Amino acid sequence: MNQQKVYNLEEFATKYHIKDIYGAYAAYFSVSGFNNMVKERTLFTKILLVKQGSCRMLLKQTIGDEQSIQLAAKDLLIITPKEVADVAEISPDFQAESILVDETFADHATRYQLTDEKDKSITDTFHFIRDIVRRQHINKVEMIRSMFNVLKLIIEELPYEDCSVTHDLGHKKQVYEIFLHHLYRNFRKERQIRFYADKLNVSPAYLSRLVKEISGSTINEHATSLVYKEICNLLTQTDMSMGEIAAHLNFSDQSAMTNFFKQRSGMSPLAYRNK
């Protein structure tokens, strides 16, 4: 009897024509139905976020009993490398989004029913991972790993949703990771410390001290570094005008953006684009 092939992420993505992939580490794709992909044995974790419709899956471990899991909108399913699945039932309107990642998120298959707030948070994180994978970034490795840290933190909170457990703000690393999540989502428009402090329900002074302590850099240094790298990316990867880039990054005008860029690169944005 032939042994079933076990796929790494790159092999799996090639077989099923998944385009949004980052090496052998992570991939994103949307799902409107299922085919044989759920039956494949893999070396990576599969995370499924149901957007609409319903589905019943039969999960099987290499050794162990079959487990039936019913999925509906706002359900999150984590499938570990131990499990393969059969689709027993699926509605015609079924839609979902999936993240594949070469990291451990659970010891066994786990389903969570999400609140509206958590569904939005996880959807936003999925989309940020997708966007990082699709675009060129100087710090792509650090950005994508930070977003998976954020995703882990969100998922770790899910079992306690009914207990009204809030963020442990004494846990400095957790606060820092959540700060990074908000910064990566909002740095193009928001670079004031108070904006991020309000998001975390802490004082600006506390957040400033915490970020400096954990990272060695100030909040302003984090934000300006992201803005500078985004300008470099837009100059080399797009044909946006200087005025369009300035507006996209919420500078008061093109001159302010040019001065900001010159201070960090020693040349004008146009010279950088043409070099």
Side-chain angles (χ1 to χ4, degrees), residues 49-186:
L49 179 61
V50 181
K51 308 309 293 183
Q52 69 176 45
S54 62
C55 174
R56 186 167 69 86
M57 302 179 74
L58 303 175
L59 296 176
K60 306 172 185 177
Q61 289 194 14
T62 304
I63 300 174
D65 296 331
E66 186 175 81
Q67 178 185 10
S68 176
I69 294 183
Q70 184 70 39
L71 300 173
K74 298 180 184 176
D75 278 352
L76 182 78
L77 176 65
I78 300 173
I79 305 176
T80 77
K82 300 175 185 177
E83 292 116 5
V84 294
D86 279 320
V87 177
E89 301 170 5
I90 188 167
S91 66
D93 62 339
F94 182 83
Q95 290 187 5
E97 296 180 67
S98 183
I99 291 286
L100 312 177
V101 61
D102 188 20
E103 282 200 24
T104 300
F105 272 73
D107 295 327
H108 52 80
T110 308
R111 178 182 66 91
Y112 297 103
Q113 292 180 305
L114 304 180
T115 64
D116 290 345
E117 179 183 357
K118 292 300 183 185
D119 179 61
K120 184 178 187 308
S121 294
I122 291 178
T123 298
D124 288 346
T125 308
F126 269 38
H127 291 173
F128 204 92
I129 291 169
R130 176 199 65 194
D131 293 344
I132 294 172
V133 168
R134 286 180 177 177
R135 300 179 62 183
Q136 297 298 318
H137 296 279
I138 295 174
N139 290 331
K140 193 164 188 172
V141 175
E142 291 82 358
M143 291 175 70
I144 197 165
R145 289 192 182 276
S146 290
M147 291 314 302
F148 275 111
N149 285 337
V150 169
L151 184 59
K152 281 185 177 181
L153 290 170
I154 295 172
I155 289 172
E156 285 174 4
E157 291 183 329
L158 296 178
Y160 308 105
E161 280 290 292
D162 293 336
C163 303
S164 300
V165 173
T166 59
H167 297 304
D168 176 8
L169 295 179
H171 193 323
K172 295 180 180 179
K173 183 178 177 181
Q174 179 176 350
V175 176
Y176 176 66
E177 294 288 355
I178 297 171
F179 159 72
L180 288 180
H181 168 64
H182 288 298
L183 181 65
Y184 289 145
R185 287 183 59 196
N186 296 286

Side-chain angles (χ1 to χ4, degrees), residues 185-196:
R185 287 183 59 196
N186 296 286
F187 75 90
R188 295 172 184 84
K189 297 296 181 185
E190 296 288 349
R191 297 191 273 279
Q192 298 298 315
I193 294 174
R194 178 165 294 281
F195 174 84
Y196 297 101

